[in-house]
């Protein structure tokens, strides 16, 4: 069984990552593909996209922060509810629907002729531009990856005994003190895991900024696709992919180090 796992790890992770890594040091061909000549041109090209990279980081970071803030009380409520199994089922139900359909549904809700703007028109307000800006991207990222944060936080919340929280309140601690000094330290690993589960895919998101973000909200995932499909510069796309992989690996390493210390 160990050798089977090792084989799958090599085929599904090590080999694809290695190919992308090697491609990033080669020269591009005119119509796609690479020429087997070593060069660092792809990495010299990356500083031109510093603004795009920074925009991707802060959009993913803000979306992750909002997701964690929403997921904390939701996961606590689910963990302490008698209907936890039913509520967990509702949490994973969105996964039964294709993500593109759910993103398009938000276009119906947020569009100039969408549900929200139709309601605002009844109140006498003009149409509000909800789509094609960072707000729309952050909102849809939060919606899409909220279950990714709820599940690890739920697992951490379920291990907390109610008696610990009740004892803190009985001893005169405020709810805020109990939340920050008792609850949060006990779910620290759940928070770190939830952060990785949300931040990493949000940073490399392509469909969400492409469909609801517009030009001003393009992220690094959109540029990788543009380099592959339009410009046909595979080495630059590979170099950008390596950057995303590095950020993901650093996030995982940080979580593992925190887990060892706890």
């Amino acid at each position: 069984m160990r050798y089977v796992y090792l084989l799958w790890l090599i085929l599904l992770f090590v080999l694809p990552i290695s190919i992308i890594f090697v491609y990033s040091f080669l020269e591009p061909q005119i119509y796609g593909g690479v020429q087997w000549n070593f060069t660092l041109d792809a990495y010299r090209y990356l500083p031109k996209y510093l603004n795009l990279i920074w925009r991707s980081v802060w959009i993913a970071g803000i979306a992750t922060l909002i997701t964690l803030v929403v997921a904390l009380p939701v996961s606590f409520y689910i963990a302490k509810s008698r209907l936890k199994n039913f509520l967990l089922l509702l949490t994973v139900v969105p996964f039964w629907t294709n993500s593109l359909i759910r993103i398009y549904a938000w276009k119906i809700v947020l569009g100039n002729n969408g549900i929200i703007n139709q309601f605002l028109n009844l109140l006498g307000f003009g149409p509000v531009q909800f789509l094609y800006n960072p707000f729309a991207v952050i909102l849809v990222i939060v919606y899409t990856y909220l279950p990714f944060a709820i599940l690890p936080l739920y697992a951490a919340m379920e291990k907390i005994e109610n008696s610990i929280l009740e004892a803190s309140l009985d001893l005169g601690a405020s709810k805020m003190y109990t939340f920050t000094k008792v609850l949060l330290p006990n779910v620290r690993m759940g928070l770190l895991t939830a952060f990785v589960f949300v931040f990493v895919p949000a940073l490399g998101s392509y469909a969400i900024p492409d469909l609801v973000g517009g030009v001003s909200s393009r992220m690094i995932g959109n540029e990788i696709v543009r380099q592959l499909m339009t410009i046909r510069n595979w080495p630059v796309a590979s170099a950008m992919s390596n950057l995303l992989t590095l950020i993901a690996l650093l996030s995982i390493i940080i979580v593992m180090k925190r887990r060892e210390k706890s």
Side-chain angles (χ1 to χ4, degrees):
M1 181 62 68
R2 182 177 61 182
Y3 295 107
V4 173
Y5 171 76
L6 182 61
L7 178 62
W8 278 108
L9 182 64
I10 293 173
L11 290 177
L12 300 180
F13 180 76
V14 176
L15 185 59
I17 292 295
S18 300
I19 293 173
I20 294 174
F21 181 77
V22 171
Y23 272 28
S24 67
F25 293 99
L26 301 178
E27 293 182 352
Q29 290 184 342
I30 297 177
Y31 299 107
V34 294
Q35 298 179 7
W36 292 89
N37 299 319
F38 178 83
T39 178
L40 294 175
D41 288 347
Y43 289 95
R44 296 191 185 102
Y45 205 70
L46 290 185
K48 297 181 180 180
Y49 292 96
L50 285 179
N51 289 335
L52 178 67
I53 295 170
W54 167 242
R55 183 195 302 150
S56 303
V57 170
W58 77 257
I59 287 179
I62 292 176
T64 302
L65 179 61
I66 296 173
T67 303
L68 294 180
V69 170
V70 175
L72 269 170
V74 173
S75 57
F76 179 79
Y77 178 79
I78 294 175
K80 304 307 176 184
S81 174
R82 295 180 180 179
L83 301 174
K84 64 176 64 177
N85 292 332
F86 175 70
L87 295 176
L88 279 176
L89 176 64
L90 294 181
T91 301
V92 299
V93 160
F95 291 115
W96 299 356
T97 306
N98 185 279
S99 60
L100 289 177
I101 296 176
R102 289 184 277 130
I103 296 172
Y104 270 108
W106 275 105
K107 297 187 70 171
I108 297 174
V109 174
L110 300 176
N112 288 340
N113 295 318
I115 296 173
I116 296 179
N117 271 314
Q118 288 182 17
F119 177 74
L120 292 176
N121 287 334
L122 293 176
L123 299 178
F125 297 98
V128 178
Q129 184 67 36
F130 291 113
L131 282 178
Y132 310 121
N133 51 52
F135 164 79
V137 176
I138 292 172
L139 176 63
V140 179
I141 286 177
V142 170
Y143 163 77
T144 302
Y145 296 113
L146 183 60
F148 287 42
I150 290 176
L151 295 178
L153 281 172
Y154 162 80
M157 294 284 188
E158 196 176 28
K159 297 178 181 179
I160 300 176
E161 298 290 340
N162 289 333
S163 58
I164 298 177
L165 304 178
E166 292 172 357
S168 175
L169 295 173
D170 291 342
L171 291 172
S174 64
K175 291 183 179 180
M176 181 57 67
Y177 183 90
T178 301
F179 175 78
T180 56
K181 299 298 183 180
V182 179
L183 181 64
L184 286 184
N186 282 281
V187 298
R188 183 174 67 248
M189 287 311 306
L191 276 171
L192 289 173
T193 304
F195 173 84
V196 172
F197 283 2
V198 176
F199 180 76
V200 171
L203 183 63
S205 178
Y206 161 72
I208 294 174
D210 185 61
L211 294 176
V212 304
V215 177
S216 63
S217 302
R218 289 172 60 250
M219 297 175 66
I220 190 170
N222 304 106
E223 184 58 29
I224 290 174
V225 173
R226 191 176 78 91
Q227 291 289 337
L228 282 172
M229 306 301 294
T230 304
I231 301 179
R232 308 279 182 163
N233 194 325
W234 289 18
V236 170
S238 299
M240 291 182 175
S241 299
N242 288 337
L243 179 61
L244 286 179
T245 303
L246 178 62
I247 294 174
L249 290 176
L250 288 176
S251 302
I252 294 171
I253 290 172
I254 291 173
V255 170
M256 294 176 63
K257 291 294 184 181
R258 291 288 185 179
R259 186 183 296 274
E260 292 175 359
K261 293 180 180 178
S262 61

